[in-house]
Amino acid sequence: MTSTQTPTAARRSKISPERVQEFYEAVLEQLREHGYEALTMEGIAARACCGKSTLYRQWKTKPQLVAAALRANRRGTLAAVDTGTLAGDLREAARIAAGTSGRDTLLTQALGRAVLSDEELQAALREALVEPELAAFDAMVERAVARGEIPANHPAVEFLPAQLMGVLRIRPVLEGRYADADYLVRFVDAALLPALGLSP
C-alpha cells in the first residue's frame, strides 16, 4: 500500500510533543522579554538549544511559529461553550477570556504595533487565534436565534466579540489591573446583556 505521508510530515513527526512545547516556551519567553520586532529565529533556536533549520522546517516563518506558540499557550477555548442560554454562554465566555488575562495580556502587548504593520503576522494570528473564537461567538448567536432569545438581525450582535475582548485588553491600561472573571462577568451583565435586550 502506498503511504500518503509527505516528506515534510515525516520530518515533523520526529519532534516529540514535549520538544515542541520547549520551542513554544522559548518563543514566549523571548516575546515577553524583547517584543516581537526583536524576536528572531536565531534567538529562539539559541534559547531552545536547537538548529535554526529545525524551526524553519517545522513552522516556515516567524509569524507562523509565534501564532502556534500563542495558540498552544491558551488555557481555554470558546468552542465548547454551550450552556443553553445566550446569557449563560456569554458569562462562560467571560470566565474563559479571564483565563487569558495576565500573562497572555503581556504577550498581546509585546506584539505591539507589529500586529497592525506586519500583514503576515496578522494573518497567522487571525487563522490560529481570532477566527476560531469568532466562529464560537457566531455559534452562540445562532443557537440563541434558533431558541428565539434574540432576532437574527439584532444590531448589538456585531459588537459582542469586540466588546468582550476589548475590555479584556483595555482594563490594564485604564486601571492598572487585569480583567479577572468577576470583572468580565459583571461587564457581561451590565453592558452586553442589556444591549441585547436580555435580563441579567
mmCIF file of all heavy atoms in Angstrom, residues 20-71:
data_model
loop_
_atom_site.group_PDB
_atom_site.id
_atom_site.type_symbol
_atom_site.label_atom_id
_atom_site.label_comp_id
_atom_site.label_asym_id
_atom_site.label_seq_id
_atom_site.Cartn_x
_atom_site.Cartn_y
_atom_site.Cartn_z
ATOM 1 N N VAL A 20 8.352 20.126 21.171
ATOM 2 C CA VAL A 20 7.606 21.230 20.570
ATOM 3 C C VAL A 20 7.232 22.252 21.634
ATOM 4 O O VAL A 20 7.343 23.462 21.427
ATOM 5 C CB VAL A 20 6.343 20.707 19.852
ATOM 6 C CG1 VAL A 20 5.419 21.860 19.467
ATOM 7 C CG2 VAL A 20 6.728 19.923 18.610
ATOM 8 N N GLN A 21 6.800 21.764 22.811
ATOM 9 C CA GLN A 21 6.433 22.678 23.889
ATOM 10 C C GLN A 21 7.638 23.485 24.357
ATOM 11 O O GLN A 21 7.499 24.664 24.720
ATOM 12 C CB GLN A 21 5.838 21.890 25.061
ATOM 13 C CG GLN A 21 5.251 22.760 26.163
ATOM 14 C CD GLN A 21 4.172 23.703 25.663
ATOM 15 O OE1 GLN A 21 3.317 23.307 24.860
ATOM 16 N NE2 GLN A 21 4.190 24.941 26.122
ATOM 17 N N GLU A 22 8.816 22.884 24.342
ATOM 18 C CA GLU A 22 10.034 23.623 24.696
ATOM 19 C C GLU A 22 10.280 24.754 23.693
ATOM 20 O O GLU A 22 10.682 25.855 24.074
ATOM 21 C CB GLU A 22 11.232 22.674 24.727
ATOM 22 C CG GLU A 22 11.209 21.695 25.893
ATOM 23 C CD GLU A 22 12.362 20.715 25.829
ATOM 24 O OE1 GLU A 22 13.246 20.858 24.944
ATOM 25 O OE2 GLU A 22 12.394 19.779 26.652
ATOM 26 N N PHE A 23 10.041 24.482 22.419
ATOM 27 C CA PHE A 23 10.184 25.536 21.412
ATOM 28 C C PHE A 23 9.201 26.673 21.684
ATOM 29 O O PHE A 23 9.551 27.848 21.612
ATOM 30 C CB PHE A 23 9.925 24.974 20.006
ATOM 31 C CG PHE A 23 10.950 23.974 19.534
ATOM 32 C CD1 PHE A 23 10.608 22.981 18.638
ATOM 33 C CD2 PHE A 23 12.256 24.030 19.982
ATOM 34 C CE1 PHE A 23 11.536 22.068 18.183
ATOM 35 C CE2 PHE A 23 13.207 23.112 19.552
ATOM 36 C CZ PHE A 23 12.844 22.125 18.645
ATOM 37 N N TYR A 24 7.955 26.301 21.988
ATOM 38 C CA TYR A 24 6.938 27.311 22.254
ATOM 39 C C TYR A 24 7.314 28.159 23.465
ATOM 40 O O TYR A 24 7.129 29.383 23.456
ATOM 41 C CB TYR A 24 5.580 26.654 22.484
ATOM 42 C CG TYR A 24 4.957 26.046 21.251
ATOM 43 C CD1 TYR A 24 3.987 25.046 21.359
ATOM 44 C CD2 TYR A 24 5.329 26.459 19.973
ATOM 45 C CE1 TYR A 24 3.405 24.484 20.232
ATOM 46 C CE2 TYR A 24 4.758 25.902 18.840
ATOM 47 C CZ TYR A 24 3.796 24.914 18.975
ATOM 48 O OH TYR A 24 3.219 24.355 17.865
ATOM 49 N N GLU A 25 7.802 27.518 24.507
ATOM 50 C CA GLU A 25 8.209 28.276 25.700
ATOM 51 C C GLU A 25 9.346 29.237 25.371
ATOM 52 O O GLU A 25 9.375 30.366 25.879
ATOM 53 C CB GLU A 25 8.632 27.313 26.820
ATOM 54 C CG GLU A 25 7.475 26.601 27.494
ATOM 55 C CD GLU A 25 6.500 27.570 28.139
ATOM 56 O OE1 GLU A 25 6.946 28.586 28.710
ATOM 57 O OE2 GLU A 25 5.277 27.314 28.056
ATOM 58 N N ALA A 26 10.255 28.810 24.531
ATOM 59 C CA ALA A 26 11.351 29.695 24.125
ATOM 60 C C ALA A 26 10.810 30.911 23.379
ATOM 61 O O ALA A 26 11.256 32.044 23.592
ATOM 62 C CB ALA A 26 12.342 28.926 23.247
ATOM 63 N N VAL A 27 9.831 30.686 22.520
ATOM 64 C CA VAL A 27 9.209 31.789 21.784
ATOM 65 C C VAL A 27 8.556 32.774 22.746
ATOM 66 O O VAL A 27 8.760 33.989 22.662
ATOM 67 C CB VAL A 27 8.151 31.260 20.794
ATOM 68 C CG1 VAL A 27 7.366 32.415 20.182
ATOM 69 C CG2 VAL A 27 8.804 30.437 19.705
ATOM 70 N N LEU A 28 7.754 32.250 23.673
ATOM 71 C CA LEU A 28 7.002 33.118 24.578
ATOM 72 C C LEU A 28 7.928 33.885 25.513
ATOM 73 O O LEU A 28 7.688 35.064 25.804
ATOM 74 C CB LEU A 28 5.996 32.287 25.374
ATOM 75 C CG LEU A 28 4.945 31.543 24.532
ATOM 76 C CD1 LEU A 28 4.034 30.725 25.431
ATOM 77 C CD2 LEU A 28 4.142 32.510 23.682
ATOM 78 N N GLU A 29 8.983 33.237 25.977
ATOM 79 C CA GLU A 29 9.940 33.921 26.854
ATOM 80 C C GLU A 29 10.620 35.067 26.110
ATOM 81 O O GLU A 29 10.758 36.177 26.640
ATOM 82 C CB GLU A 29 10.986 32.916 27.359
ATOM 83 C CG GLU A 29 10.452 31.932 28.389
ATOM 84 C CD GLU A 29 11.435 30.807 28.664
ATOM 85 O OE1 GLU A 29 12.565 30.856 28.107
ATOM 86 O OE2 GLU A 29 11.073 29.883 29.413
ATOM 87 N N GLN A 30 11.055 34.787 24.879
ATOM 88 C CA GLN A 30 11.710 35.828 24.080
ATOM 89 C C GLN A 30 10.734 36.959 23.756
ATOM 90 O O GLN A 30 11.105 38.132 23.768
ATOM 91 C CB GLN A 30 12.238 35.215 22.776
ATOM 92 C CG GLN A 30 13.367 34.227 22.963
ATOM 93 C CD GLN A 30 14.722 34.905 22.979
ATOM 94 O OE1 GLN A 30 15.092 35.582 22.030
ATOM 95 N NE2 GLN A 30 15.451 34.736 24.049
ATOM 96 N N LEU A 31 9.495 36.592 23.484
ATOM 97 C CA LEU A 31 8.488 37.597 23.151
ATOM 98 C C LEU A 31 8.231 38.516 24.337
ATOM 99 O O LEU A 31 8.159 39.741 24.187
ATOM 100 C CB LEU A 31 7.200 36.893 22.729
ATOM 101 C CG LEU A 31 6.091 37.733 22.092
ATOM 102 C CD1 LEU A 31 6.595 38.452 20.860
ATOM 103 C CD2 LEU A 31 4.904 36.842 21.743
ATOM 104 N N ARG A 32 8.078 37.947 25.531
ATOM 105 C CA ARG A 32 7.850 38.763 26.732
ATOM 106 C C ARG A 32 9.043 39.662 27.035
ATOM 107 O O ARG A 32 8.890 40.798 27.465
ATOM 108 C CB ARG A 32 7.574 37.864 27.937
ATOM 109 C CG ARG A 32 6.249 37.110 27.883
ATOM 110 C CD ARG A 32 6.002 36.371 29.191
ATOM 111 N NE ARG A 32 4.830 35.512 29.108
ATOM 112 C CZ ARG A 32 4.854 34.200 28.930
ATOM 113 N NH1 ARG A 32 6.017 33.576 28.813
ATOM 114 N NH2 ARG A 32 3.746 33.500 28.857
ATOM 115 N N GLU A 33 10.236 39.134 26.817
ATOM 116 C CA GLU A 33 11.444 39.869 27.197
ATOM 117 C C GLU A 33 11.799 40.961 26.200
ATOM 118 O O GLU A 33 12.265 42.039 26.591
ATOM 119 C CB GLU A 33 12.620 38.892 27.324
ATOM 120 C CG GLU A 33 12.508 37.950 28.509
ATOM 121 C CD GLU A 33 13.596 36.898 28.491
ATOM 122 O OE1 GLU A 33 14.554 37.018 27.694
ATOM 123 O OE2 GLU A 33 13.502 35.929 29.279
ATOM 124 N N HIS A 34 11.595 40.699 24.911
ATOM 125 C CA HIS A 34 12.142 41.598 23.900
ATOM 126 C C HIS A 34 11.110 42.193 22.947
ATOM 127 O O HIS A 34 11.433 43.115 22.196
ATOM 128 C CB HIS A 34 13.201 40.853 23.071
ATOM 129 C CG HIS A 34 14.278 40.229 23.899
ATOM 130 N ND1 HIS A 34 15.140 40.968 24.678
ATOM 131 C CD2 HIS A 34 14.617 38.924 24.100
ATOM 132 C CE1 HIS A 34 15.984 40.151 25.299
ATOM 133 N NE2 HIS A 34 15.675 38.915 24.971
ATOM 134 N N GLY A 35 9.870 41.671 22.947
ATOM 135 C CA GLY A 35 8.879 42.143 21.988
ATOM 136 C C GLY A 35 9.025 41.438 20.655
ATOM 137 O O GLY A 35 10.016 40.741 20.400
ATOM 138 N N TYR A 36 8.044 41.634 19.795
ATOM 139 C CA TYR A 36 8.009 40.884 18.535
ATOM 140 C C TYR A 36 9.106 41.325 17.573
ATOM 141 O O TYR A 36 9.743 40.496 16.909
ATOM 142 C CB TYR A 36 6.645 41.039 17.869
ATOM 143 C CG TYR A 36 6.540 40.265 16.573
ATOM 144 C CD1 TYR A 36 6.294 38.901 16.595
ATOM 145 C CD2 TYR A 36 6.699 40.901 15.343
ATOM 146 C CE1 TYR A 36 6.211 38.177 15.411
ATOM 147 C CE2 TYR A 36 6.615 40.182 14.160
ATOM 148 C CZ TYR A 36 6.370 38.819 14.198
ATOM 149 O OH TYR A 36 6.297 38.102 13.024
ATOM 150 N N GLU A 37 9.330 42.633 17.454
ATOM 151 C CA GLU A 37 10.280 43.127 16.468
ATOM 152 C C GLU A 37 11.686 42.576 16.715
ATOM 153 O O GLU A 37 12.418 42.279 15.762
ATOM 154 C CB GLU A 37 10.310 44.657 16.458
ATOM 155 C CG GLU A 37 9.069 45.306 15.852
ATOM 156 C CD GLU A 37 7.916 45.423 16.851
ATOM 157 O OE1 GLU A 37 8.063 44.936 17.996
ATOM 158 O OE2 GLU A 37 6.880 45.991 16.466
ATOM 159 N N ALA A 38 12.073 42.436 17.990
ATOM 160 C CA ALA A 38 13.409 41.952 18.317
ATOM 161 C C ALA A 38 13.494 40.426 18.359
ATOM 162 O O ALA A 38 14.588 39.870 18.480
ATOM 163 C CB ALA A 38 13.862 42.528 19.666
ATOM 164 N N LEU A 39 12.360 39.761 18.251
ATOM 165 C CA LEU A 39 12.339 38.308 18.268
ATOM 166 C C LEU A 39 12.912 37.770 16.965
ATOM 167 O O LEU A 39 12.521 38.210 15.881
ATOM 168 C CB LEU A 39 10.894 37.828 18.435
ATOM 169 C CG LEU A 39 10.655 36.322 18.532
ATOM 170 C CD1 LEU A 39 11.109 35.807 19.891
ATOM 171 C CD2 LEU A 39 9.172 36.008 18.335
ATOM 172 N N THR A 40 13.834 36.828 17.057
ATOM 173 C CA THR A 40 14.429 36.245 15.853
ATOM 174 C C THR A 40 14.419 34.726 15.960
ATOM 175 O O THR A 40 14.401 34.162 17.060
ATOM 176 C CB THR A 40 15.888 36.695 15.660
ATOM 177 O OG1 THR A 40 16.683 36.202 16.748
ATOM 178 C CG2 THR A 40 15.998 38.214 15.596
ATOM 179 N N MET A 41 14.424 34.073 14.805
ATOM 180 C CA MET A 41 14.515 32.621 14.799
ATOM 181 C C MET A 41 15.850 32.174 15.394
ATOM 182 O O MET A 41 15.927 31.139 16.054
ATOM 183 C CB MET A 41 14.361 32.090 13.374
ATOM 184 C CG MET A 41 12.998 32.368 12.750
ATOM 185 S SD MET A 41 11.631 31.529 13.588
ATOM 186 C CE MET A 41 11.295 30.195 12.433
ATOM 187 N N GLU A 42 16.894 32.962 15.190
ATOM 188 C CA GLU A 42 18.195 32.647 15.767
ATOM 189 C C GLU A 42 18.135 32.666 17.295
ATOM 190 O O GLU A 42 18.665 31.779 17.973
ATOM 191 C CB GLU A 42 19.256 33.636 15.282
ATOM 192 C CG GLU A 42 19.605 33.516 13.803
ATOM 193 C CD GLU A 42 18.658 34.306 12.906
ATOM 194 O OE1 GLU A 42 17.616 34.804 13.403
ATOM 195 O OE2 GLU A 42 18.952 34.422 11.705
ATOM 196 N N GLY A 43 17.470 33.697 17.838
ATOM 197 C CA GLY A 43 17.357 33.795 19.288
ATOM 198 C C GLY A 43 16.528 32.676 19.885
ATOM 199 O O GLY A 43 16.858 32.136 20.945
ATOM 200 N N ILE A 44 15.446 32.315 19.192
ATOM 201 C CA ILE A 44 14.612 31.210 19.667
ATOM 202 C C ILE A 44 15.399 29.911 19.639
ATOM 203 O O ILE A 44 15.354 29.115 20.586
ATOM 204 C CB ILE A 44 13.348 31.085 18.786
ATOM 205 C CG1 ILE A 44 12.487 32.333 18.912
ATOM 206 C CG2 ILE A 44 12.549 29.840 19.174
ATOM 207 C CD1 ILE A 44 11.421 32.447 17.835
ATOM 208 N N ALA A 45 16.136 29.685 18.549
ATOM 209 C CA ALA A 45 16.930 28.459 18.424
ATOM 210 C C ALA A 45 17.976 28.374 19.530
ATOM 211 O O ALA A 45 18.198 27.308 20.116
ATOM 212 C CB ALA A 45 17.599 28.414 17.052
ATOM 213 N N ALA A 46 18.607 29.513 19.831
ATOM 214 C CA ALA A 46 19.611 29.516 20.898
ATOM 215 C C ALA A 46 18.966 29.208 22.245
ATOM 216 O O ALA A 46 19.510 28.442 23.043
ATOM 217 C CB ALA A 46 20.315 30.871 20.941
ATOM 218 N N ARG A 47 17.795 29.800 22.519
ATOM 219 C CA ARG A 47 17.109 29.558 23.785
ATOM 220 C C ARG A 47 16.650 28.100 23.887
ATOM 221 O O ARG A 47 16.678 27.517 24.973
ATOM 222 C CB ARG A 47 15.916 30.507 23.901
ATOM 223 C CG ARG A 47 15.076 30.365 25.169
ATOM 224 C CD ARG A 47 15.825 30.859 26.407
ATOM 225 N NE ARG A 47 16.109 32.266 26.359
ATOM 226 C CZ ARG A 47 15.370 33.212 26.951
ATOM 227 N NH1 ARG A 47 14.282 32.867 27.630
ATOM 228 N NH2 ARG A 47 15.708 34.477 26.884
ATOM 229 N N ALA A 48 16.225 27.522 22.761
ATOM 230 C CA ALA A 48 15.702 26.158 22.761
ATOM 231 C C ALA A 48 16.791 25.112 22.510
ATOM 232 O O ALA A 48 16.502 23.919 22.478
ATOM 233 C CB ALA A 48 14.616 26.016 21.705
ATOM 234 N N CYS A 49 18.033 25.575 22.307
ATOM 235 C CA CYS A 49 19.161 24.665 22.059
ATOM 236 C C CYS A 49 18.894 23.755 20.857
ATOM 237 O O CYS A 49 18.935 22.517 20.957
ATOM 238 C CB CYS A 49 19.469 23.815 23.295
ATOM 239 S SG CYS A 49 19.907 24.785 24.749
ATOM 240 N N CYS A 50 18.589 24.386 19.730
ATOM 241 C CA CYS A 50 18.368 23.616 18.503
ATOM 242 C C CYS A 50 18.917 24.412 17.333
ATOM 243 O O CYS A 50 19.318 25.566 17.480
ATOM 244 C CB CYS A 50 16.878 23.335 18.301
ATOM 245 S SG CYS A 50 15.899 24.785 17.848
ATOM 246 N N GLY A 51 18.936 23.784 16.170
ATOM 247 C CA GLY A 51 19.366 24.471 14.974
ATOM 248 C C GLY A 51 18.241 25.320 14.408
ATOM 249 O O GLY A 51 17.065 24.955 14.504
ATOM 250 N N LYS A 52 18.597 26.447 13.827
ATOM 251 C CA LYS A 52 17.591 27.324 13.230
ATOM 252 C C LYS A 52 16.803 26.611 12.135
ATOM 253 O O LYS A 52 15.605 26.842 11.953
ATOM 254 C CB LYS A 52 18.290 28.570 12.674
ATOM 255 C CG LYS A 52 17.354 29.615 12.117
ATOM 256 C CD LYS A 52 18.117 30.883 11.752
ATOM 257 C CE LYS A 52 19.170 30.605 10.671
ATOM 258 N NZ LYS A 52 19.790 31.869 10.194
ATOM 259 N N SER A 53 17.475 25.713 11.413
ATOM 260 C CA SER A 53 16.816 24.988 10.330
ATOM 261 C C SER A 53 15.672 24.124 10.841
ATOM 262 O O SER A 53 14.683 23.904 10.130
ATOM 263 C CB SER A 53 17.828 24.114 9.578
ATOM 264 O OG SER A 53 18.416 23.173 10.463
ATOM 265 N N THR A 54 15.783 23.639 12.073
ATOM 266 C CA THR A 54 14.697 22.841 12.665
ATOM 267 C C THR A 54 13.424 23.660 12.766
ATOM 268 O O THR A 54 12.328 23.184 12.467
ATOM 269 C CB THR A 54 15.099 22.343 14.065
ATOM 270 O OG1 THR A 54 16.268 21.532 13.963
ATOM 271 C CG2 THR A 54 13.974 21.534 14.714
ATOM 272 N N LEU A 55 13.550 24.905 13.174
ATOM 273 C CA LEU A 55 12.391 25.775 13.319
ATOM 274 C C LEU A 55 11.778 26.098 11.958
ATOM 275 O O LEU A 55 10.558 26.082 11.797
ATOM 276 C CB LEU A 55 12.787 27.067 14.030
ATOM 277 C CG LEU A 55 13.385 26.912 15.431
ATOM 278 C CD1 LEU A 55 13.757 28.283 15.995
ATOM 279 C CD2 LEU A 55 12.426 26.197 16.367
ATOM 280 N N TYR A 56 12.636 26.370 10.986
ATOM 281 C CA TYR A 56 12.117 26.708 9.661
ATOM 282 C C TYR A 56 11.433 25.519 8.991
ATOM 283 O O TYR A 56 10.430 25.685 8.293
ATOM 284 C CB TYR A 56 13.240 27.245 8.767
ATOM 285 C CG TYR A 56 13.556 28.694 9.016
ATOM 286 C CD1 TYR A 56 14.768 29.077 9.594
ATOM 287 C CD2 TYR A 56 12.646 29.693 8.687
ATOM 288 C CE1 TYR A 56 15.054 30.413 9.830
ATOM 289 C CE2 TYR A 56 12.928 31.029 8.915
ATOM 290 C CZ TYR A 56 14.138 31.379 9.485
ATOM 291 O OH TYR A 56 14.407 32.707 9.726
ATOM 292 N N ARG A 57 11.961 24.309 9.207
ATOM 293 C CA ARG A 57 11.320 23.124 8.635
ATOM 294 C C ARG A 57 9.931 22.921 9.215
ATOM 295 O O ARG A 57 8.990 22.541 8.533
ATOM 296 C CB ARG A 57 12.152 21.867 8.894
ATOM 297 C CG ARG A 57 13.309 21.658 7.930
ATOM 298 C CD ARG A 57 13.789 20.230 7.955
ATOM 299 N NE ARG A 57 14.113 19.762 9.289
ATOM 300 C CZ ARG A 57 15.317 19.870 9.849
ATOM 301 N NH1 ARG A 57 16.304 20.463 9.191
ATOM 302 N NH2 ARG A 57 15.535 19.406 11.066
ATOM 303 N N GLN A 58 9.805 23.184 10.502
ATOM 304 C CA GLN A 58 8.546 22.910 11.190
ATOM 305 C C GLN A 58 7.507 24.011 10.985
ATOM 306 O O GLN A 58 6.326 23.730 10.797
ATOM 307 C CB GLN A 58 8.819 22.745 12.697
ATOM 308 C CG GLN A 58 7.620 22.339 13.521
ATOM 309 C CD GLN A 58 7.290 20.858 13.392
ATOM 310 O OE1 GLN A 58 8.010 20.128 12.727
ATOM 311 N NE2 GLN A 58 6.207 20.432 14.015
ATOM 312 N N TRP A 59 7.934 25.274 11.043
ATOM 313 C CA TRP A 59 6.977 26.389 11.037
ATOM 314 C C TRP A 59 7.130 27.371 9.886
ATOM 315 O O TRP A 59 6.316 28.278 9.738
ATOM 316 C CB TRP A 59 7.039 27.135 12.364
ATOM 317 C CG TRP A 59 6.485 26.312 13.483
ATOM 318 C CD1 TRP A 59 5.163 26.101 13.772
ATOM 319 C CD2 TRP A 59 7.226 25.574 14.449
ATOM 320 N NE1 TRP A 59 5.040 25.266 14.850
ATOM 321 C CE2 TRP A 59 6.292 24.924 15.301
ATOM 322 C CE3 TRP A 59 8.587 25.369 14.696
ATOM 323 C CZ2 TRP A 59 6.669 24.119 16.370
ATOM 324 C CZ3 TRP A 59 8.965 24.559 15.749
ATOM 325 C CH2 TRP A 59 8.015 23.950 16.576
ATOM 326 N N LYS A 60 8.168 27.231 9.091
ATOM 327 C CA LYS A 60 8.381 28.042 7.880
ATOM 328 C C LYS A 60 8.749 29.496 8.147
ATOM 329 O O LYS A 60 9.706 30.005 7.576
ATOM 330 C CB LYS A 60 7.138 28.015 6.966
ATOM 331 C CG LYS A 60 6.631 26.626 6.626
ATOM 332 C CD LYS A 60 7.674 25.796 5.912
ATOM 333 C CE LYS A 60 7.125 24.432 5.535
ATOM 334 N NZ LYS A 60 8.186 23.540 5.038
ATOM 335 N N THR A 61 7.959 30.201 8.981
ATOM 336 C CA THR A 61 8.217 31.624 9.210
ATOM 337 C C THR A 61 8.059 31.975 10.689
ATOM 338 O O THR A 61 7.424 31.232 11.444
ATOM 339 C CB THR A 61 7.234 32.511 8.418
ATOM 340 O OG1 THR A 61 5.911 32.328 8.952
ATOM 341 C CG2 THR A 61 7.246 32.170 6.933
ATOM 342 N N LYS A 62 8.626 33.102 11.059
ATOM 343 C CA LYS A 62 8.484 33.582 12.441
ATOM 344 C C LYS A 62 7.024 33.823 12.809
ATOM 345 O O LYS A 62 6.590 33.393 13.888
ATOM 346 C CB LYS A 62 9.322 34.852 12.645
ATOM 347 C CG LYS A 62 9.251 35.387 14.071
ATOM 348 C CD LYS A 62 10.187 36.577 14.279
ATOM 349 C CE LYS A 62 9.585 37.867 13.815
ATOM 350 N NZ LYS A 62 10.333 39.067 14.290
ATOM 351 N N PRO A 63 6.214 34.489 11.968
ATOM 352 C CA PRO A 63 4.804 34.682 12.334
ATOM 353 C C PRO A 63 4.060 33.377 12.593
ATOM 354 O O PRO A 63 3.257 33.289 13.527
ATOM 355 C CB PRO A 63 4.231 35.423 11.118
ATOM 356 C CG PRO A 63 5.392 36.151 10.554
ATOM 357 C CD PRO A 63 6.560 35.227 10.735
ATOM 358 N N GLN A 64 4.313 32.353 11.781
ATOM 359 C CA GLN A 64 3.628 31.085 11.982
ATOM 360 C C GLN A 64 4.050 30.430 13.293
ATOM 361 O O GLN A 64 3.224 29.834 13.992
ATOM 362 C CB GLN A 64 3.891 30.140 10.808
ATOM 363 C CG GLN A 64 3.199 30.566 9.532
ATOM 364 C CD GLN A 64 3.406 29.579 8.402
ATOM 365 O OE1 GLN A 64 3.628 28.396 8.630
ATOM 366 N NE2 GLN A 64 3.328 30.066 7.167
ATOM 367 N N LEU A 65 5.331 30.525 13.638
ATOM 368 C CA LEU A 65 5.812 29.957 14.898
ATOM 369 C C LEU A 65 5.220 30.709 16.089
ATOM 370 O O LEU A 65 4.781 30.101 17.068
ATOM 371 C CB LEU A 65 7.341 30.005 14.941
ATOM 372 C CG LEU A 65 8.018 29.551 16.243
ATOM 373 C CD1 LEU A 65 7.532 28.169 16.674
ATOM 374 C CD2 LEU A 65 9.536 29.562 16.081
ATOM 375 N N VAL A 66 5.178 32.023 16.018
ATOM 376 C CA VAL A 66 4.605 32.824 17.099
ATOM 377 C C VAL A 66 3.123 32.495 17.287
ATOM 378 O O VAL A 66 2.646 32.305 18.400
ATOM 379 C CB VAL A 66 4.797 34.328 16.827
ATOM 380 C CG1 VAL A 66 3.959 35.178 17.781
ATOM 381 C CG2 VAL A 66 6.276 34.700 16.964
ATOM 382 N N ALA A 67 2.386 32.405 16.178
ATOM 383 C CA ALA A 67 0.959 32.088 16.260
ATOM 384 C C ALA A 67 0.738 30.709 16.866
ATOM 385 O O ALA A 67 -0.164 30.520 17.694
ATOM 386 C CB ALA A 67 0.330 32.159 14.870
ATOM 387 N N ALA A 68 1.550 29.739 16.477
ATOM 388 C CA ALA A 68 1.424 28.389 17.031
ATOM 389 C C ALA A 68 1.717 28.375 18.522
ATOM 390 O O ALA A 68 1.038 27.697 19.299
ATOM 391 C CB ALA A 68 2.365 27.435 16.291
ATOM 392 N N ALA A 69 2.727 29.130 18.940
ATOM 393 C CA ALA A 69 3.079 29.186 20.363
ATOM 394 C C ALA A 69 1.963 29.835 21.174
ATOM 395 O O ALA A 69 1.623 29.371 22.268
ATOM 396 C CB ALA A 69 4.389 29.955 20.548
ATOM 397 N N LEU A 70 1.394 30.905 20.651
ATOM 398 C CA LEU A 70 0.298 31.577 21.349
ATOM 399 C C LEU A 70 -0.931 30.679 21.441
ATOM 400 O O LEU A 70 -1.596 30.623 22.472
ATOM 401 C CB LEU A 70 -0.058 32.876 20.637
ATOM 402 C CG LEU A 70 0.983 33.996 20.736
ATOM 403 C CD1 LEU A 70 0.629 35.133 19.792
ATOM 404 C CD2 LEU A 70 1.091 34.508 22.168
ATOM 405 N N ARG A 71 -1.218 29.952 20.372
ATOM 406 C CA ARG A 71 -2.369 29.041 20.388
ATOM 407 C C ARG A 71 -2.166 27.937 21.417
ATOM 408 O O ARG A 71 -3.084 27.606 22.172
ATOM 409 C CB ARG A 71 -2.580 28.441 18.998
ATOM 410 C CG ARG A 71 -3.769 27.463 18.924
ATOM 411 C CD ARG A 71 -3.961 26.980 17.509
ATOM 412 N NE ARG A 71 -2.750 26.370 16.990
ATOM 413 C CZ ARG A 71 -2.460 26.255 15.696
ATOM 414 N NH1 ARG A 71 -3.303 26.715 14.784
ATOM 415 N NH2 ARG A 71 -1.339 25.680 15.311
#
